[in-house]
Amino acid sequence: MLKRLALLVLVVGCGAVSAPEKVARNFIQSYYVETNLQQAAADCDGLALDKVEKGLKLVEGQGIDAATRHPKVFFDLLKSETDGEESTYLFKVTI
């Protein structure tokens, strides 16, 4: 069964990062495609970081590595908006 998920990523005040969309895409890639929660945590803050940290606690000691089975995940950027220092991205994630 194919699952689809619409995901809204909000990037606020990226500081030195010149491309907020790249940060959002890196987060989606790390979290959903690669299941690399440590990297995903580096690309987020606030509520998203809380969720990633809870996920890290759940898999603590489980040894997720290259041998771990991962679902096929695809994502597309559906919409992006920028208002001052705040950028919002809506992705369609297919799992």
Side-chain angles (χ1 to χ4, degrees):
M1 174 189 271
L2 197 59
K3 295 181 183 179
R4 292 181 188 210
L5 170 70
L7 180 68
L8 180 66
V9 177
L10 179 66
V11 180
V12 179
C14 292
V17 176
S18 61
E21 182 179 333
K22 183 176 179 184
V23 174
R25 286 181 178 276
N26 286 345
F27 174 80
I28 299 291
Q29 180 72 29
S30 298
Y31 189 84
Y32 288 99
V33 178
E34 299 170 2
T35 318
N36 183 340
L37 301 182
Q38 290 85 5
Q39 181 59 48
D43 290 326
C44 65
D45 62 8
L47 186 59
L49 181 57
D50 290 342
K51 179 176 175 148
V52 172
E53 288 175 341
K54 286 178 183 176
L56 282 166
K57 288 179 183 175
L58 288 172
V59 298
E60 196 171 278
Q62 295 300 313
I64 297 174
D65 57 24
T68 304
R69 290 186 59 199
H70 298 279
K72 291 185 189 257
V73 179
F74 306 95
F75 64 93
D76 293 307
L77 178 62
L78 298 179
K79 182 179 175 184
S80 66
E81 293 180 7
T82 300
D83 182 18
E85 293 183 13
E86 182 175 292
S87 297
T88 305
Y89 300 93
L90 178 64
F91 290 87
K92 178 176 86 174
V93 179
T94 305
I95 302 172

